[in-house]
Amino acid sequence: MKALQLFGTVMIAAMACNNPVKNPGQMEEDKQNNPSGPSSEEIATQAQQFKMGEGLRGSGIMTKGNYRFAVRVNGDGTERTIMIASQDLRGDTTKPMTDSTVLHDVKGKVTSTTVSDLDNDGNPEVFCFTKSDGTDAVGSVYGVTFIDHKPVRIFSGDVDKDSIPGYRGNDTFYVQQPYVVRKYLAEKNMKTIKYALKKDNQRYILRENK
């Protein structure tokens, strides 16, 4: 319990934003437009993380509607976890975030996170996108939806299909409402697959949009 409270306190003290976690260039631009934003030291630190391909090595804060989300990445390539916590902005925001979940056995380095509502059901989702080391750069998607602030795992579904024609890795994932979009190398060209969030037998899962 003490560890969770400490995590909540650290997350609340971190930078809050209304958009997905941004790259260093975007953060520098935001700093110029918003002097109360992250310091140049914070920008430099995150720039170094992105340069190293570590993505969110530490933590990130995102908000959507009445929700504030804290995402923390721990570990390395052999044992990486993602902790996602939520807070109701309509309540006492000085209290630690108590609703959280931990995703284990995360493959690859976390390159970006985003918050969305793909199925427009009023319940936000937090997605974390990763990319493996090496020349293949295979990507993965880790997602959680929050139902009444309670975390529910999103299964990656068709994202993990064994066979994609011509697939040669070099994945990039991002959200383009109402889909999770995947760009990947097939033969010598980049191709795109879109995944929609579906509810299937009381579970949430990503299915290829055909």
Side-chain angles (χ1 to χ4, degrees), residues 29-38:
E29 182 179 348
D30 286 351
K31 177 63 179 177
Q32 295 174 357
N33 296 331
N34 179 17
S36 63

Side-chain angles (χ1 to χ4, degrees), residues 9-10 27 35 39 52 57 64 69-70 75 77 113 117 121 124 138 149 159 169 185 189:
T9 302
V10 172
M27 288 187 289
S39 67
M52 295 171 61
R57 182 84 187 194
K64 187 173 182 64
F69 299 101
T113 68
D117 184 8
D121 65 352
V138 176
H149 289 271
V159 173
L185 181 62
N189 300 312

Side-chain angles (χ1 to χ4, degrees), residues 21 32 44-46 58 69 76 93 97 115-116 132 151 159 165 167 170 176 184-185 207 210:
V21 176
Q32 295 174 357
T45 298
Q46 293 203 26
F69 299 101
D76 54 27
T93 57
M97 297 181 179
V115 60
S116 60
S132 67
V159 173
Y167 177 77
N170 288 280
Q176 186 178 68
Y184 64 97
L185 181 62
R207 293 298 188 194
K210 297 181 179 180

Side-chain angles (χ1 to χ4, degrees), residues 113-140:
T113 68
T114 188
V115 60
S116 60
D117 184 8
L118 298 184
D119 53 2
N120 291 313
D121 65 352
N123 298 309
E125 311 101 23
V126 175
F127 287 102
C128 300
F129 304 124
T130 70
K131 186 176 291 188
S132 67
D133 293 324
T135 57
D136 289 342
V138 176
S140 299

Side-chain angles (χ1 to χ4, degrees), residues 3-24:
L4 180 58
Q5 290 176 342
L6 176 61
F7 171 74
T9 302
V10 172
M11 293 298 96
I12 294 172
M15 176 185 68
C17 65
N18 290 318
N19 296 312
V21 176
K22 300 179 179 181
N23 63 41

